[in-house]
Amino acid sequence: MAAAVTAAAACAQQVQRTVSSKASSSLLAPVARPAAAFRPAAVAARRASALRVLAQATAAPAAAPAKADANKKSQYALQTLTTWLLDLEREGTIDNELATVISSIATACKQIGSLVNRAGISNLTGLAGETNVQGEDQKKLDVISNEVFSNCLRQCGRTGIIASEEEDQPVAVEETFSGEYVVVFDPLDGSSNIDAGISVGSIFGVYEPSPECRIEDMDDPEAMMQKCVLNVCQAGNELLCAGYTLYSSSTILVLTVGKGVYGFTLDPLIGEFVLSHPDIKIPEKGKIYSFNEGNYQSWSKEQQAYIDSLKDSSQWGGKPYSSRYIGSLVGDFHRTLLYGGIYGYPGDAKNPNGKLRLLYECAPMSMICEQAGGAGSTGFQRVLDIVPTKVHERQPLFVGSKWEVEYLESVLQNKPAPHEN
Ligand code: AFP
């Protein structure tokens, strides 16, 4: 409950901040200046200043021209998430409503990051005693993070429906007053790593506003829920924005609004996400694979053949691929995005669709990967083309460098391997 109160306070501040950022963007519009009043003192001051300018003009030239000085970037200049969003707003890539939703997600992530950091000393490790709709044991931090995320999204007033890994059904937001964006999220992915202090993350996606699923239609809850589910079950190629936040040695928020991928690192001293990874591009080809090989025995023979081939040094100039696996999608994905290679969670004999959820794991990560020049596939289909039939639908996921993903598809589909550039 204490966490909820802090979340509410943080979000209230955020709403104020976003409102003032709206005001600041309107300041950019030309403003008509009132005519200057005629005052003798003002005239004298203007005359003195004109004389100073004249004296400067006839004196020796200054060391650096004034124009160059004005264009020089201050060594203290920062591009924060807030100023980056304002720039996108100014150029018309996003509107103020979407910027507000993204800001409120960033606030939720700051708060979750701080809870994760202190989990071991604040009695936040361990189980909550409940299971979610997918039958998984919920950790205390799963439950709290879900509350923090939901609070921020509700209080920003721009979300119509939210769907979380931790909720059975999508929820229509009562507090919305405009925007009505559909937001899907996994508030704390990889939470089984929490108690060991290993990297975890939040994943999110934002879809077009949908006014169809409204809390006012509550007199027919079943029909309302059907509309909500329908509005949430959209293909990844409809995403307006996708992102994740990694809680690790630093807290890093990685984001795309469909124009490249940008990473922001939280500066804990000023409490701001600062642009640290502009226009991320995934290497065309990498040297690392990231799979839970404990499942090898239950994979298809094609899947086994793919991993066998990555280990076969004779195919790769004498050095096999390296294996890295944390078991935390955000951590494994972030490394893959920066270093290249492939992350995969295949289907197996017991779970033909694997473990990962399409809406708030596979689709956002695939959008980010494609925007960075990589690929996201089920092995047989582009992930972003799949329209979910249910909120918590699972799909196999292979994301990473284009070459490794295409090579995987060729092995699974018994087709020739792609050419190497
Ligand atoms: P948890 O949230 O239960 O830790 O699951 C994490 C996850 O959804 C994803 O982040 C990992 O990549 C994947 O599952 C790990 O699953 P395995 O433990 O089966 O490898």
Side-chain angles (χ1 to χ4, degrees):
M1 191 42 78
V5 174
T6 336
C11 290
Q13 277 174 4
Q14 181 62 25
V15 171
Q16 277 166 11
R17 245 213 321 271
T18 39
V19 168
S20 58
S21 69
K22 188 174 188 179
S24 68
S25 50
S26 62
L27 283 178
L28 297 170
V31 177
R33 285 172 192 275
F38 177 76
R39 280 174 291 126
V43 172
R46 271 206 299 277
R47 198 171 289 151
S49 131
L51 284 172
R52 263 200 310 278
V53 170
L54 196 66
Q56 275 165 11
T58 51
K67 204 172 169 201
D69 270 346
N71 291 336
K72 207 173 125 198
K73 211 175 161 203
S74 159
Q75 59 173 317
Y76 301 108
L78 283 184
Q79 175 78 298
T80 64
L81 179 65
T82 311
T83 58
W84 184 77
L85 289 171
L86 276 173
D87 284 348
L88 291 188
E89 242 185 279
R90 201 174 303 151
E91 70 186 35
T93 303
I94 60 171
D95 63 13
N96 179 260
E97 311 267 281
L98 181 55
T100 305
V101 174
I102 296 172
S103 295
S104 69
I105 290 173
T107 303
C109 293
K110 285 183 201 172
Q111 195 181 354
I112 294 170
S114 118
L115 292 166
V116 166
N117 277 336
R118 286 180 282 128
I121 46 176
S122 310
N123 190 27
L124 292 177
T125 54
L127 297 175
E130 304 284 325
T131 53
N132 63 18
V133 68
Q134 295 147 84
E136 298 162 339
D137 286 330
Q138 287 180 306
K139 296 266 180 189
K140 283 185 202 164
L141 264 181
D142 279 327
V143 177
I144 296 169
S145 305
N146 188 48
E147 195 172 329
V148 168
F149 230 95
S150 306
N151 285 347
C152 283
L153 287 171
R154 285 168 193 277
Q155 287 169 337
C156 83
R158 269 40 172 223
T159 45
I161 315 172
I162 54 179
S164 161
E165 193 216 2
E166 303 302 333
E167 307 274 358
D168 301 2
Q169 297 282 5
V171 180
V173 177
E174 209 169 333
E175 294 87 343
T176 193
F177 58 86
S178 69
E180 289 161 328
Y181 285 92
V182 176
V183 182
V184 294
F185 58 94
D186 183 346
L188 198 62
D189 190 71
S191 56
S192 56
N193 283 310
I194 282 280
D195 297 3
I198 295 170
S199 310
V200 288
S202 304
I203 310 172
F204 55 89
V206 184
Y207 287 97
E208 281 284 351
S210 168
E212 282 167 44
C213 161
R214 288 184 170 281
I215 203 88
E216 296 92 76
D217 300 335
M218 203 52 187
D219 43 346
D220 187 352
E222 215 160 278
M224 188 192 99
M225 190 47 68
Q226 264 174 16
K227 280 191 201 164
C228 289
V229 171
L230 212 68
N231 279 293
V232 163
C233 287
Q234 299 189 47
N237 55 31
E238 304 285 342
L239 279 165
L240 299 177
C241 163
Y244 63 82
T245 302
L246 172 70
Y247 310 111
S248 186
S249 51
S250 43
T251 299
I252 304 178
L253 188 154
V254 173
L255 192 64
T256 180
V257 291
K259 270 193 160 184
V261 179
Y262 291 79
F264 299 83
T265 301
L266 181 64
D267 180 340
L269 293 184
I270 60 169
E272 287 278 358
F273 279 110
V274 176
L275 182 64
S276 51
H277 298 71
D279 202 13
I280 299 173
K281 294 285 175 231
I282 187 168
E284 279 262 311
K285 190 170 185 301
K287 288 301 280 172
I288 300 174
Y289 70 91
S290 188
F291 284 67
N292 181 349
E293 272 191 89
N295 296 327
Y296 183 91
Q297 293 294 337
S298 41
W299 287 344
S300 69
K301 63 179 190 327
E302 290 83 6
Q303 183 60 55
Q304 292 176 342
Y306 177 73
I307 292 295
D308 292 345
S309 92
L310 298 185
K311 292 180 184 175
D312 176 4
S313 54
S314 69
Q315 291 190 45
W316 317 108
K319 196 170 184 302
Y321 275 69
S322 292
S323 165
R324 298 279 185 278
Y325 190 75
I326 304 170
S328 183
L329 174 60
V330 176
D332 285 316
F333 179 84
H334 189 65
R335 184 198 51 248
T336 307
L337 185 67
L338 297 186
Y339 298 174
I342 184 166
Y343 169 90
Y345 207 108
D348 58 38
K350 204 163 149 218
N351 303 300
N353 279 349
K355 177 181 180 188
L356 303 183
R357 275 55 54 115
L358 174 58
L359 264 177
Y360 39 81
E361 293 182 305
C362 308
M365 293 315 206
S366 294
M367 180 183 185
I368 294 167
C369 207
E370 285 196 7
Q371 283 291 318
S377 169
T378 64
F380 295 88
Q381 192 181 5
R382 179 180 177 236
V383 169
L384 294 184
D385 288 338
I386 307 171
V387 182
T389 51
K390 52 184 190 216
V391 177
H392 301 291
E393 175 171 329
R394 297 172 198 261
Q395 284 291 342
L397 175 68
F398 303 97
V399 265
S401 297
K402 234 183 182 149
W403 194 85
E404 274 81 13
V405 175
E406 283 175 7
Y407 177 48
L408 169 115
E409 288 176 330
S410 74
V411 176
L412 293 193
Q413 299 175 29
N414 295 309
K415 289 182 178 163
H419 289 295
E420 285 190 49
N421 287 331

